[in-house]
Amino acid sequence: MSSAVRVRAFAKINLSLRVLGARADGYHELRTIFQSIALHDTLTFRQVRGPFELACDDPACPTDETNLIARAAAQMWSASGRKGAPHGVAIHLVKRIPMQAGLGGGSSDAAVALRVLAKRWRVAGAKIRDAAALLGADVPYFLEGGTMLGLDRGDLLFPLHEPASAWVVLVIPDFGVSTREAFGWFDARGGARGLQPSGSELRARRSPETLALPGWPEGLALREMVNDLEAPVAEHHPEIARIISALRRAGAAQAAMSGSGSAVFGLFSDRSAASAAMTRLSAGSLRTLLTKTVNRQTYQRLAAT
Ligand code: C5P
């Protein structure tokens, strides 16, 4: 890494997020469909003489050892057999993905740091995947990208048929939601009781190829577009439900909360309809972003180091 290396860390939305039950390890069993979107942070890696450094253009983003990038660096450093604290690399992060929004920004940044530093410090692929799962339940997804089915904690991944690209209008409320808190609200409402997977759903879990997304985005089976965290989060933040309705009224083929929120997305097959919806929602003083789905091939090409 003699000259600077610049890499994009793409955000995701969850096209669907079913919570199938609580696990003994404090996590929840999920069945989710991840989809990469073009919105991204940018990480620039530079060689330095001294200790590892992390800086971010957004003062709201912590740059201490609580940042997943710093934790990824520590993991790769020790996985490479080196002792002590990481050394010799400085990372500058340009943060565009809103935080506490359910868009996976911190996890995506961590996955980029894992890949780049593993290459620099010669760490084998299996150790990268182990470190990713330790850093967070959705970090392994960001090593792959595109349209993926996530089982277990969301980290047992199966590639799905890649749908044609769709326009995505993101609405970012002025509050964030902590993932841990959102799952807590889900449990407080009775958790996954009554939501136990049916026989056919269980079969589908074992046959991920049946989860292709036909007729996307208009014909996407509504059954697949369910986020079980949406109602518990909307109970504490009613604005979420209002934004989903507003996106549907503005013509979104589908609209839902992403992950544990607070971001809400609407899918559109053409750009002009998406722009018109954005104008309408922005007039109501909502913060909106226009982006596009990204398939796995593009993700892997653009996120290459
Ligand atoms: O893995 P990550 O640190 O991103 O998860 C944050 C929190 O979200 C976990 O500590 C857990 O409370 C909750 N979570 C969960 N089940 C999942 C993923 C996350 O309960 N599958």
Side-chain angles (χ1 to χ4, degrees), residues 132-218:
L134 276 176
L135 289 171
D138 59 4
V139 180
Y141 162 71
F142 288 103
L143 295 176
E144 311 290 336
T147 314
M148 297 282 266
L149 174 69
L151 303 180
D152 282 0
R153 300 184 316 157
D155 52 357
L156 175 60
L157 296 160
F158 299 89
L160 292 177
H161 168 75
E162 301 269 354
S165 71
W167 292 93
V168 181
V169 173
L170 290 175
V171 182
I172 316 296
D174 57 9
F175 55 87
V177 174
S178 123
T179 304
R180 183 186 294 269
E181 203 163 31
F183 278 101
W185 293 335
F186 175 86
D187 289 338
R189 289 174 115 228
R193 264 208 317 271
L195 245 181
Q196 288 310 316
S198 64
S200 58
E201 227 171 349
L202 278 173
R203 275 193 299 283
R205 285 185 49 176
R206 296 296 159 219
S207 316
E209 69 280 6
T210 62
L211 283 167
L213 305 174
W216 157 278
E218 281 85 1

Side-chain angles (χ1 to χ4, degrees), residues 54 64-73 106-110 113 135-136 139:
L54 174 62
D64 61 7
E65 66 288 345
T66 61
N67 187 301
L68 281 183
I69 295 174
R71 290 177 49 201
S107 299
S108 186
D109 295 344
L135 289 171
V139 180

